[in-house]
């Protein structure tokens, strides 16, 4: 099997190929996306002193009083341990209250405390960030094509399996 060229082993060439030019344009597009996402979360943090993932968690709890940590994790498409860490921070800051479920003492029900309500009212939206809304606005065919193409790109990157459940606000 022939060895694939890596950046360090690729032959040097003075003239970029058409593929090089397109790859550079796609890289610039990714930069635009990530910088827009980062700018939004920086604005959120500057406004309320809390990270974007915590604000998103507050908004989910506000929409579903009594939600548990597992459901919060599913709603945010993050790992349960990540949701637990978010909740711990929100509880420590006096933004979220925790009530134990009477039938299962391990389970908790989350609710916003008045300080959490005030913080959410001051926070710029969208709470989940700008990317989920932009993706949802795309037509189904475009979204399906993007999903298939990104799957190919991810296959080339060989990312850590947990990276898909890390909130963009935490990158």
């Amino acid at each position: 099997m022939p060895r694939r060229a890596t950046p360090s082993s690729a032959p040097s060439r003075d003239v970029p190929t058409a593929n090089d030019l397109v790859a550079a344009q796609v890289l610039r597009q990714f930069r635009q996306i990530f910088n827009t996402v980062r700018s939004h979360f920086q604005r959120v943090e500057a406004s309320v002193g809390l990270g974007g993932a915590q604000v998103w968690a507050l908004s989910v709890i506000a929409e579903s009083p009594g939600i548990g940590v597992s459901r919060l994790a599913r709603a945010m498409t993050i790992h349960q341990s990540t949701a637990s860490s978010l909740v711990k921070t929100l509880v420590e800051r006096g933004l979220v209250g925790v009530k134990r479920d009477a039938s299962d003492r391990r389970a908790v029900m989350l609710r916003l405390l008045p300080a959490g309500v005030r913080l959410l009212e001051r926070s710029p939206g969208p709470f989940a960030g700008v990317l989920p809304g932009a993706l949802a606005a795309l037509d189904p065919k475009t979204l399906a094509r993007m999903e298939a193409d990104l799957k190919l790109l991810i296959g080339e990157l060989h990312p850590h399996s947990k990276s898909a459940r890390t909130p963009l606000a935490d990158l």
Side-chain angles (χ1 to χ4, degrees), residues 2-171:
R3 205 174 129 210
R4 290 184 52 175
T6 61
S8 61
S9 68
S12 68
R13 53 181 193 258
D14 296 330
V15 180
T17 66
N19 198 53
D20 293 335
L21 297 174
V22 173
Q25 178 58 28
V26 171
L27 181 59
R28 285 189 293 275
Q29 290 170 320
F30 272 108
R31 288 177 183 151
Q32 285 180 296
I33 292 166
F34 287 115
N35 284 326
T36 301
V37 168
R38 184 180 20 207
S39 293
H40 170 74
F41 287 125
Q42 287 172 339
R43 232 179 8 264
V44 169
E45 191 158 4
S47 294
V48 296
L50 201 62
Q54 288 91 1
V55 172
W56 184 14
L58 282 177
S59 74
V60 172
I61 295 166
E63 290 172 4
S64 303
I67 192 172
V69 176
S70 295
R71 276 191 45 222
L72 176 65
R74 281 193 303 276
M76 295 178 70
T77 64
I78 59 176
H79 195 274
Q80 186 166 344
S81 63
T82 304
S84 293
S85 295
L86 288 172
V87 168
K88 181 180 178 191
T89 300
L90 296 172
V91 169
E92 288 171 352
R93 294 187 85 170
L95 303 170
V96 170
V98 176
K99 182 179 175 187
R100 295 271 173 208
D101 187 318
S103 61
D104 181 358
R105 298 296 297 164
R106 295 170 299 163
V108 296
M109 296 181 292
L110 307 171
R111 64 181 172 76
L112 278 190
L113 296 175
V117 173
R118 287 190 301 275
L119 187 140
L120 207 49
E121 288 171 347
R122 292 190 335 261
S123 181
F127 299 129
V130 292
L131 189 55
L135 289 170
L138 296 175
D139 67 272
K141 284 177 88 173
T142 300
L143 208 49
R145 192 173 57 247
M146 282 181 70
E147 190 272 337
D149 291 343
L150 288 172
K151 188 182 287 186
L152 293 172
L153 177 60
I154 290 166
E156 290 295 321
L157 293 172
H158 310 289
H160 190 280
S161 62
K162 292 182 182 180
S163 64
R165 296 214 177 251
T166 301
L168 288 174
D170 290 350
L171 293 180

